[in-house]
Amino acid sequence: MDIIRAIKGTKDILPEESSLWQFIERNIHRFMKSYGYGEIRTPKFENSSLFNRSIGINTDIVSKEMYTWTDQGENNLTLKPEVTASVVRAFIQHNLGKQKQLNKFYYIDSLFRRERPQKGRYRQFEQFGVEAIGSKNPEQDAEIISMAYFFYTKLGLENLKLKINSIGSKESRIEYKQALKDFFIPYKDKLTSTSITRLNDNPLRILDTKVDFEKEIIKNAPKITDFLSLEDKDHFNKVLFYLEKLNIKYDIDHFLVRGLDYYCNTVFEIQSTLLGSQSALCGGGRYDYLIEELGGKSTPAIGFAAGIERLIIALDNKVILDDSADVYMVTLGDSAIDIGLKIAYDLRMMCNLNVTSDMLQKNMKSQLKEANKLKAKHAIIIGENEIANKEVIIKNMLSGNQENISFNQIINYFKK
Ligand code: HAM
């Protein structure tokens, strides 16, 4: 019979790998707390209109990558392809702007995009991210960008490349869009059909092309920096100034527009040379118009999101975790099993130890072999003699030394 396999672009995380995931997740929670951000959890699926309206119908995500279906109640639903739109929906729905002027969220979540799977690109993937809703000031941009950067450096990642750009306010972009249109029209015959559609709807999207010959054409396109208002320029320069103060090196990339339509002003990505073609570790930017566009009160906001699978690739097996058991219970015979279960329970509850028990009724040699395999620090051995003397043997698996300890002294022994 054919076995059923996981769907292309999805994967199982088995226990050997999940300790690394747990390590990363612990680091995320700790790190976000250190900046005063609170965790938000939003549903795995939403009304499709939320993503159509926020990410934009001409983006790759909405036009070809969303998992969308109509349920039995005729609701048009989509598995979340990103989290920002959901956070904004929740922010508006719960009226959070009224309670606090500045709301700072972080999340760890599973996302779904029907992309062509390859190293670092999956159809179900995990992101962590932050959204700061309420401040229009450049120091908020600097905080967000530096959070992404310092999270990685704290984990020991090197060779990071921060790419940054300002795509300006809506007003700045009116003239720029026209300049882009004028620039691309002579190339109309050479552009892909997607770019021709984008030429009319949102020419900035063309700058996000993945097609090589279009990338060549773009090299000579007008740059947004020449169209920014004084206010936009001042904001961007202050962001760069704060980054320099924090010793964060950056490259200005005039054509970085990001793959989602809701951005304005500052946009950025952090890349790692270890990632290959899917080089973006994380990306984000300002989205000062999105809250109003989704029906809330006009509120400035900025955030970023980071792929966890890509972080794991970039960590390149450098994180060594100690998953070894503290104690392995070696029990021989029914009475020993009975007493062993109770001792294991006490050690977990009273001493917070990781205790593994045999469960397969193997012989003593095999149980000790298993203890070694699990790199247990101690083995507690209980056989008939030990039960008769109301004691156990505690073997230090590293030194090989062993001691006889009476039942009522075991907890004290480990507490010491
Ligand atoms: P994004 O650039 O679409 O932005 O995704 C952010 C990160 O998620 C990427 O840099 C990458 O590390 C990871 N990622 C994206 N797609 C995949 C995939 N198919 N497989 C594996 N990893 C992937 C956003 O999602 C925005 N919501 C970021 C943001 C937050 N902007 C403002 N606030």
Side-chain angles (χ1 to χ4, degrees), residues 61 65 81-85 107 111-113 115 118 120-131 152 258-260 262-263 269-270 275 278-287 302-311:
I61 300 178
E65 294 169 1
E82 64 113 36
V83 192
T84 313
Y107 46 79
L111 289 318
F112 307 86
R113 296 183 193 175
E115 295 193 76
Q118 63 177 85
R121 191 163 72 191
Y122 311 94
R123 290 182 171 175
Q124 177 180 331
F125 60 97
E126 305 292 311
Q127 274 185 351
F128 70 95
V130 300
E131 312 293 346
Y152 293 128
R258 309 257 311 120
L260 307 97
Y262 49 62
Y263 291 113
E269 276 181 13
I270 296 179
L275 286 180
Q278 298 307 306
S279 59
L281 274 172
C282 73
R286 266 206 172 271
Y287 49 95
I302 179 166
F304 78 83
I308 300 185
E309 288 84 357
R310 293 190 193 176
L311 167 60

Coordinates of all heavy atoms in Angstrom, one line a residue, residues 61 65 81-85 107 111-113 115 118 120-131 152 258-260 262-263 269-270 275 278-287 302-311, ligand 1:
I61 N 2.2 37.3 -3.7 CA 1.6 36.5 -2.6 C 0.1 36.4 -2.9 O -0.5 35.3 -2.9 CB 1.8 37.2 -1.2 CG1 3.3 37.3 -0.9 CG2 1.0 36.5 -0.1 CD1 3.6 37.9 0.4
E65 N -0.1 32.9 -4.7 CA 0.5 32.0 -3.6 C -0.5 31.7 -2.5 O -0.1 30.9 -1.6 CB 1.8 32.6 -3.1 CG 2.9 32.7 -4.1 CD 4.0 33.6 -3.7 OE1 4.0 34.1 -2.5 OE2 5.0 33.7 -4.5
P81 N -0.9 34.1 5.0 CA 0.4 34.1 4.3 C 1.5 35.0 5.0 O 2.7 35.0 4.7 CB 0.1 34.7 2.9 CG -1.1 35.6 3.2 CD -1.8 35.0 4.3
E82 N 1.0 35.8 6.0 CA 1.9 36.7 6.8 C 1.1 37.2 8.0 O -0.1 37.0 8.0 CB 2.4 37.9 5.9 CG 1.3 38.8 5.4 CD 1.3 40.2 6.1 OE1 2.5 40.7 6.2 OE2 0.3 40.8 6.4
V83 N 1.8 37.9 8.9 CA 1.1 38.1 10.2 C 0.7 39.6 10.3 O -0.3 39.9 11.0 CB 2.0 37.7 11.4 CG1 1.2 37.7 12.7 CG2 2.6 36.3 11.2
T84 N 1.4 40.5 9.7 CA 1.1 42.0 9.9 C -0.4 42.3 9.7 O -0.9 43.0 10.6 CB 2.0 42.8 8.9 OG1 3.3 42.3 8.9 CG2 2.0 44.3 9.3
A85 N -1.0 41.8 8.6 CA -2.4 42.1 8.4 C -3.3 41.7 9.5 O -4.2 42.4 10.0 CB -2.9 41.5 7.1
Y107 N 5.4 38.1 17.7 CA 4.7 36.8 17.4 C 5.7 35.8 16.9 O 6.7 36.1 16.4 CB 3.6 37.0 16.4 CG 4.0 37.8 15.2 CD1 4.7 37.2 14.1 CD2 3.6 39.2 15.1 CE1 5.1 38.0 13.0 CE2 4.0 39.9 14.0 CZ 4.8 39.4 13.0 OH 5.1 40.1 11.9
L111 N 3.1 30.2 8.7 CA 2.5 30.9 7.5 C 2.4 29.9 6.3 O 3.2 28.9 6.3 CB 3.3 32.1 7.2 CG 3.3 33.3 8.1 CD1 1.8 33.6 8.6 CD2 4.1 33.2 9.3
F112 N 1.6 30.3 5.3 CA 1.4 29.4 4.2 C 1.4 30.2 2.9 O 0.7 31.2 2.7 CB 0.0 28.8 4.3 CG -0.2 28.1 5.7 CD1 -0.6 28.8 6.8 CD2 0.1 26.7 5.8 CE1 -0.8 28.2 8.0 CE2 0.0 26.1 7.1 CZ -0.4 26.8 8.2
R113 N 2.3 29.8 2.0 CA 2.4 30.4 0.7 C 2.7 29.3 -0.3 O 3.7 28.6 -0.1 CB 3.5 31.5 0.6 CG 3.3 32.7 1.6 CD 4.4 33.7 1.4 NE 4.4 34.7 2.5 CZ 5.2 35.7 2.7 NH1 6.3 35.8 1.9 NH2 5.1 36.5 3.8
E115 N 4.6 28.7 -2.8 CA 5.7 29.1 -3.6 C 6.4 27.8 -4.1 O 6.1 26.7 -3.7 CB 6.7 29.9 -2.8 CG 6.2 31.2 -2.3 CD 7.3 32.1 -1.7 OE1 8.0 32.6 -2.5 OE2 7.4 32.1 -0.5
Q118 N 12.2 25.2 -2.3 CA 13.6 25.0 -2.5 C 14.3 25.3 -1.2 O 13.5 25.6 -0.2 CB 14.2 25.9 -3.6 CG 14.0 27.4 -3.3 CD 14.7 28.3 -4.4 OE1 14.0 28.6 -5.3 NE2 15.9 28.7 -4.2
G120 N 15.3 26.9 1.9 CA 15.0 28.2 2.5 C 13.6 28.7 2.1 O 13.2 29.8 2.5
R121 N 12.9 27.9 1.2 CA 11.6 28.4 0.8 C 10.6 27.2 0.9 O 10.8 26.2 0.2 CB 11.7 28.9 -0.6 CG 10.4 29.6 -1.0 CD 10.6 30.5 -2.2 NE 10.8 29.7 -3.4 CZ 11.2 30.2 -4.6 NH1 11.5 31.4 -4.7 NH2 11.3 29.4 -5.6
Y122 N 9.6 27.4 1.7 CA 8.6 26.3 1.9 C 7.2 26.8 1.7 O 7.0 28.0 1.7 CB 8.8 25.8 3.4 CG 10.3 25.5 3.6 CD1 11.1 26.4 4.3 CD2 10.9 24.3 3.2 CE1 12.5 26.2 4.5 CE2 12.2 24.0 3.4 CZ 13.0 25.0 4.0 OH 14.3 24.8 4.2
R123 N 6.3 25.8 1.7 CA 4.9 26.2 1.6 C 4.2 26.5 2.9 O 3.2 27.2 3.0 CB 4.1 25.2 0.7 CG 4.6 25.3 -0.7 CD 3.9 24.3 -1.7 NE 4.4 24.7 -3.0 CZ 4.0 24.0 -4.1 NH1 3.2 22.9 -4.0 NH2 4.4 24.3 -5.3
Q124 N 4.7 25.8 3.9 CA 4.4 26.1 5.3 C 5.7 26.5 6.0 O 6.7 25.7 5.9 CB 3.7 25.0 6.1 CG 3.5 25.5 7.5 CD 2.8 24.4 8.4 OE1 2.0 23.6 7.9 NE2 3.1 24.5 9.7
F125 N 5.8 27.7 6.5 CA 7.1 28.1 7.2 C 6.7 28.9 8.5 O 5.6 29.2 8.7 CB 7.9 28.9 6.2 CG 7.3 30.2 5.7 CD1 7.5 31.4 6.4 CD2 6.4 30.1 4.7 CE1 6.9 32.6 5.9 CE2 5.8 31.3 4.2 CZ 6.0 32.5 4.9
E126 N 7.8 29.1 9.3 CA 7.6 29.7 10.6 C 8.2 31.1 10.5 O 9.4 31.2 10.0 CB 8.2 28.9 11.7 CG 7.7 27.5 11.8 CD 6.2 27.4 12.2 OE1 5.8 28.0 13.2 OE2 5.5 26.6 11.5
Q127 N 7.6 32.1 11.1 CA 8.2 33.4 11.2 C 8.1 33.8 12.7 O 7.2 33.5 13.4 CB 7.3 34.4 10.5 CG 7.6 34.6 9.0 CD 6.7 35.8 8.4 OE1 5.9 36.3 9.1 NE2 7.0 36.2 7.2
F128 N 9.1 34.7 13.1 CA 8.8 35.5 14.3 C 8.9 36.9 13.8 O 9.5 37.2 12.7 CB 9.8 35.2 15.4 CG 11.2 35.7 15.1 CD1 11.7 36.9 15.6 CD2 12.1 34.8 14.5 CE1 13.0 37.3 15.3 CE2 13.4 35.3 14.2 CZ 13.9 36.5 14.6
G129 N 8.2 37.8 14.5 CA 8.2 39.2 14.0 C 7.7 40.1 15.1 O 7.3 39.7 16.1
V130 N 7.9 41.4 14.8 CA 7.4 42.5 15.7 C 6.6 43.5 14.9 O 6.9 43.7 13.7 CB 8.5 43.1 16.5 CG1 9.4 42.2 17.3 CG2 9.5 43.9 15.5
E131 N 5.7 44.1 15.6 CA 4.9 45.3 15.0 C 4.8 46.3 16.1 O 4.3 46.0 17.2 CB 3.5 44.8 14.6 CG 3.4 43.6 13.7 CD 4.1 43.7 12.4 OE1 4.4 44.8 11.9 OE2 4.3 42.6 11.7
Y152 N 20.1 38.6 15.7 CA 21.0 37.7 15.0 C 22.4 37.7 15.5 O 23.0 36.7 15.7 CB 21.0 38.1 13.5 CG 19.7 37.8 12.8 CD1 19.1 38.8 12.0 CD2 19.1 36.6 12.9 CE1 17.9 38.6 11.4 CE2 17.9 36.3 12.2 CZ 17.3 37.3 11.5 OH 16.1 37.1 10.8
R258 N 10.3 45.7 -1.5 CA 9.6 44.6 -0.8 C 8.4 44.1 -1.5 O 7.8 44.8 -2.4 CB 9.3 45.1 0.7 CG 10.5 45.7 1.4 CD 11.1 44.7 2.4 NE 10.1 44.1 3.2 CZ 10.0 42.8 3.3 NH1 10.7 42.0 2.6 NH2 9.1 42.3 4.1
G259 N 8.0 42.9 -1.2 CA 7.0 42.2 -2.0 C 5.5 42.4 -1.5 O 4.6 41.7 -1.9
L260 N 5.3 43.4 -0.6 CA 4.0 43.7 -0.1 C 3.6 45.1 -0.3 O 4.5 46.0 -0.2 CB 3.8 43.3 1.3 CG 4.3 41.9 1.7 CD1 5.7 41.9 2.2 CD2 3.4 41.2 2.7
Y262 N 1.8 47.3 1.3 CA 1.4 48.3 2.4 C 2.5 49.2 2.9 O 2.3 50.1 3.7 CB 0.8 47.6 3.6 CG 1.5 46.4 4.2 CD1 2.7 46.5 4.7 CD2 0.9 45.1 4.2 CE1 3.4 45.3 5.3 CE2 1.5 44.0 4.7 CZ 2.7 44.1 5.3 OH 3.4 43.0 5.8
Y263 N 3.7 49.0 2.3 CA 4.8 49.8 2.9 C 4.9 51.3 2.5 O 4.4 51.6 1.4 CB 6.2 49.2 2.5 CG 6.4 47.8 3.2 CD1 6.4 46.7 2.4 CD2 6.6 47.8 4.5 CE1 6.6 45.4 3.0 CE2 6.8 46.5 5.2 CZ 6.8 45.4 4.4 OH 7.0 44.2 5.0
E269 N 15.8 44.9 4.6 CA 16.0 43.4 4.7 C 17.3 43.1 5.3 O 18.3 43.9 5.0 CB 15.9 42.8 3.3 CG 14.5 42.6 2.8 CD 14.3 42.0 1.4 OE1 15.4 41.5 0.9 OE2 13.2 42.0 0.9
I270 N 17.4 42.1 6.0 CA 18.8 41.6 6.5 C 19.0 40.3 5.7 O 18.2 39.4 5.7 CB 18.8 41.4 8.0 CG1 18.6 42.8 8.7 CG2 20.2 40.8 8.4 CD1 18.7 42.8 10.2
L275 N 22.8 31.8 3.0 CA 21.5 31.3 2.6 C 21.3 31.0 1.1 O 20.3 30.4 0.7 CB 20.4 32.4 3.0 CG 20.1 32.5 4.5 CD1 19.0 33.6 4.7 CD2 19.6 31.2 5.0
Q278 N 17.8 32.2 -1.6 CA 16.8 32.8 -0.7 C 17.5 33.5 0.4 O 17.6 33.0 1.6 CB 15.9 31.7 -0.2 CG 15.1 31.0 -1.2 CD 14.3 31.9 -2.1 OE1 13.5 32.8 -1.6 NE2 14.5 31.9 -3.4
S279 N 18.1 34.6 0.1 CA 19.1 35.2 1.0 C 18.5 36.1 2.1 O 19.2 36.4 3.1 CB 20.1 36.1 0.2 OG 19.4 37.1 -0.5
A280 N 17.2 36.4 2.1 CA 16.7 37.3 3.1 C 16.4 36.5 4.4 O 15.5 35.6 4.4 CB 15.4 37.9 2.6
L281 N 17.1 36.9 5.5 CA 16.8 36.4 6.8 C 15.5 37.0 7.3 O 14.7 36.3 7.9 CB 17.9 36.7 7.8 CG 19.1 35.9 7.8 CD1 20.1 36.5 8.7 CD2 18.8 34.5 8.4
C282 N 15.3 38.3 7.1 CA 14.1 38.9 7.5 C 13.9 40.2 6.7 O 14.7 40.6 6.0 CB 14.3 39.3 9.0 SG 15.4 40.7 9.3
G283 N 12.7 40.7 6.8 CA 12.4 42.0 6.1 C 11.2 42.7 6.8 O 10.4 42.1 7.5
G284 N 11.2 44.0 6.5 CA 10.1 44.8 7.2 C 10.1 46.2 6.7 O 10.8 46.6 5.8
G285 N 9.3 47.0 7.4 CA 9.3 48.4 7.1 C 8.1 49.1 7.7 O 7.3 48.5 8.4
R286 N 7.9 50.4 7.3 CA 6.8 51.2 7.8 C 5.5 50.9 7.0 O 5.6 50.6 5.8 CB 7.1 52.7 7.6 CG 7.7 53.3 8.8 CD 7.5 54.8 9.0 NE 8.1 55.0 10.3 CZ 7.4 54.9 11.4 NH1 6.0 54.7 11.4 NH2 7.9 55.0 12.6
Y287 N 4.4 51.0 7.7 CA 3.1 50.9 7.0 C 2.1 51.8 7.6 O 1.1 51.5 8.2 CB 2.6 49.4 7.0 CG 2.6 48.7 8.3 CD1 1.5 48.6 9.1 CD2 3.8 48.1 8.8 CE1 1.5 48.0 10.3 CE2 3.8 47.4 10.0 CZ 2.6 47.4 10.8 OH 2.7 46.8 12.0
I302 N 5.3 50.3 12.2 CA 6.5 49.7 11.6 C 6.7 48.3 12.2 O 6.4 48.1 13.4 CB 7.7 50.6 11.7 CG1 8.9 49.9 11.0 CG2 8.1 51.0 13.1 CD1 10.1 50.8 10.7
G303 N 7.3 47.4 11.4 CA 7.6 46.0 11.9 C 8.5 45.3 11.0 O 8.9 45.8 10.0
F304 N 8.8 44.1 11.5 CA 9.6 43.2 10.6 C 9.1 41.7 10.9 O 8.6 41.5 11.9 CB 11.1 43.3 10.7 CG 11.7 42.6 12.0 CD1 12.0 41.3 11.9 CD2 11.9 43.3 13.1 CE1 12.5 40.6 13.1 CE2 12.4 42.7 14.3 CZ 12.7 41.3 14.2
A305 N 9.4 40.8 9.9 CA 9.2 39.4 10.2 C 10.4 38.6 9.7 O 11.1 39.1 8.7 CB 7.9 38.9 9.5
A306 N 10.7 37.5 10.3 CA 11.9 36.7 10.1 C 11.6 35.3 10.0 O 10.9 34.7 10.8 CB 12.9 37.0 11.2
G307 N 12.1 34.6 8.9 CA 11.9 33.2 8.8 C 12.8 32.4 9.7 O 14.0 32.6 9.8
I308 N 12.1 31.4 10.4 CA 12.9 30.6 11.4 C 13.7 29.5 10.7 O 14.8 29.2 11.0 CB 12.0 30.1 12.5 CG1 11.3 31.2 13.2 CG2 12.8 29.2 13.5 CD1 10.5 30.8 14.4
E309 N 13.1 29.0 9.6 CA 13.9 27.9 8.8 C 15.2 28.5 8.3 O 16.3 27.9 8.4 CB 13.1 27.4 7.7 CG 11.9 26.5 8.0 CD 10.7 27.3 8.4 OE1 10.7 28.5 8.4 OE2 9.6 26.6 8.7
R310 N 15.1 29.8 7.8 CA 16.3 30.4 7.3 C 17.3 30.7 8.4 O 18.5 30.7 8.2 CB 15.9 31.7 6.5 CG 15.1 31.3 5.3 CD 14.9 32.5 4.4 NE 13.9 32.2 3.4 CZ 13.5 33.0 2.5 NH1 13.9 34.2 2.4 NH2 12.5 32.6 1.6
L311 N 16.8 31.1 9.5 CA 17.7 31.3 10.7 C 18.4 30.1 11.0 O 19.7 30.1 11.2 CB 16.9 31.8 11.9 CG 17.6 31.8 13.2 CD1 18.8 32.8 13.2 CD2 16.6 32.3 14.3
Ligands
HAM1 P1 8.2 38.8 4.0 O1 9.4 39.5 3.4 O2 7.2 38.3 3.1 O3 7.6 39.9 5.0 O4 8.6 37.6 5.0 C1 9.6 37.8 6.0 C2 10.5 36.7 6.1 O5 9.8 35.5 6.2 C3 11.5 36.5 4.9 O6 12.6 37.4 5.0 C4 11.9 35.1 5.0 O7 12.9 34.9 6.0 C5 10.6 34.4 5.6 N1 9.9 33.8 4.5 C6 9.0 34.3 3.6 N2 8.5 33.4 2.7 C7 9.1 32.3 3.1 C8 9.0 30.9 2.6 N3 8.1 30.6 1.6 N4 9.7 29.9 3.2 C9 10.5 30.2 4.2 N5 10.6 31.5 4.7 C10 9.9 32.5 4.2 C11 6.5 39.7 5.7 O8 5.9 38.7 5.9 C12 6.0 41.0 6.4 N6 4.8 40.7 7.1 C13 7.1 41.5 7.3 C14 6.6 42.7 8.1 C15 6.2 42.8 9.4 N7 6.6 44.0 7.6 C16 6.1 44.8 8.6 N8 5.9 44.1 9.6

